[in-house]
Amino acid sequence: LTNRNVETYINFSFKSILYMDINEIKQAVEECLENLCQTFKNNPSYFLSERDLQSYFYTILINHRLFKINKPILKSKWLTRKNSRTLLIHTEFPYKGKIEDITILRHKKIIKWDESPVSIVGIEIKFNDMYPYKKSKHNNMLKDIKSLRKDDYGYLIWFNWNDPIPYSQITKTKNYIDKSKKRNMKFYWCDMHSKPLKEGVYPKHI
């Protein structure tokens, strides 16, 4: 790197640490999601389970430039090493009585574990579940929607490996999100028969 490039990087890093907000985070998440969906369409055999998608998406997220430079100090009475840094992104993170596939914590210079870190974005992933609403009214899709209501912002992402996701099931999912009155939740779906990324947005902007 030249001195000019280093100076630019430092300025970008400093600005992001000071002014990181939900719009920056959403933009980063959606850039990573486009990457994930394109990879899914190009190489579907990479993903044989929901956990494969979760792990791959987590890897893309933590390597995004925004999250790579924002690593707060974690303090806990159980942590013996001082000034140990953590990531803002975690998988299977317990928050408000729920555990989500991926959680993005609210940015602070210091996160105090003993005071329960705050989740600002929750992400739930569904994989190869063609007709979730035929099972019972307590199916996993509804549980995920209810779980995401507890975050400042939520993403529900539905991938299917083989057949197109039925439009009737997409409509039901949209309706349940609408009934939940959670206006800061986005619903994306991606299958092998769709464009690179389909999106149902609340509030809708496409």
Side-chain angles (χ1 to χ4, degrees):
L1 289 174
T2 66
N3 290 338
R4 185 181 182 87
N5 288 338
V6 170
E7 182 180 354
T8 300
Y9 179 78
I10 291 172
N11 287 339
F12 172 77
S13 302
F14 183 70
K15 182 180 178 182
S16 295
I17 290 171
L18 287 181
Y19 301 109
M20 187 178 182
D21 61 18
I22 187 62
N23 292 321
E24 287 183 293
I25 294 171
K26 284 168 19 184
Q27 182 179 349
V29 170
E30 289 160 25
E31 287 174 6
C32 293
L33 181 54
E34 289 180 10
N35 185 337
L36 175 65
C37 191
Q38 194 61 61
T39 302
F40 177 82
K41 290 178 69 63
N42 293 338
N43 303 282
S45 298
Y46 282 7
F47 308 101
L48 304 182
S49 68
E50 182 178 309
R51 188 57 61 88
D52 286 346
L53 279 161
Q54 181 196 50
S55 302
Y56 200 95
F57 194 27
Y58 171 80
T59 302
I60 297 171
L61 285 165
I62 64 171
N63 284 290
H64 188 281
R65 60 189 181 279
L66 181 66
F67 300 118
K68 284 181 77 171
I69 62 174
N70 285 286
K71 296 177 180 178
I73 293 171
L74 182 69
K75 287 194 173 182
S76 170
K77 62 183 178 182
W78 307 109
L79 191 64
T80 56
R81 184 173 178 178
K82 292 184 178 180
N83 297 326
S84 178
R85 293 190 177 274
T86 187
L87 300 172
L88 294 176
I89 302 168
H90 299 273
T91 62
E92 305 297 324
F93 185 83
Y95 182 66
K96 291 187 177 180
K98 61 186 176 62
I99 297 178
E100 292 173 336
D101 290 332
I102 297 175
T103 296
I104 302 177
L105 300 179
R106 187 183 301 280
H107 180 266
K108 291 183 176 181
K109 290 180 66 175
I110 298 174
I111 291 179
K112 297 180 180 180
W113 177 257
D114 305 309
E115 295 179 4
S116 299
V118 176
S119 169
I120 192 170
V121 174
I123 300 170
E124 291 286 2
I125 299 170
K126 285 282 146 269
F127 178 65
N128 277 3
D129 195 350
M130 289 293 288
Y131 292 96
Y133 301 105
K134 284 189 174 181
K135 298 173 185 177
S136 73
K137 64 180 180 180
H138 300 296
N139 65 70
N140 289 332
M141 192 71 78
L142 286 177
K143 289 179 181 178
D144 286 350
I145 292 170
K146 291 177 181 177
S147 173
L148 291 170
R149 290 178 63 186
K150 298 180 181 180
D151 297 283
D152 287 1
Y153 210 90
Y155 288 88
L156 178 63
I157 311 165
W158 190 354
F159 289 87
N160 196 60
W161 206 54
N162 189 13
D163 296 326
I165 298 171
Y167 187 72
S168 63
Q169 301 296 293
I170 291 170
T171 301
K172 282 189 176 182
T173 304
K174 287 182 175 181
N175 289 339
Y176 278 119
I177 292 173
D178 201 25
K179 288 178 182 177
S180 75
K181 298 181 181 179
K182 177 65 175 178
R183 292 297 176 182
N184 288 329
M185 189 187 304
K186 286 190 176 183
F187 168 44
Y188 289 86
W189 63 97
C190 183
D191 56 46
M192 301 308 298
H193 305 266
S194 69
K195 295 178 181 179
L197 193 67
K198 289 183 178 179
E199 178 191 15
V201 183
Y202 290 85
K204 191 170 183 178
H205 65 247
I206 61 170

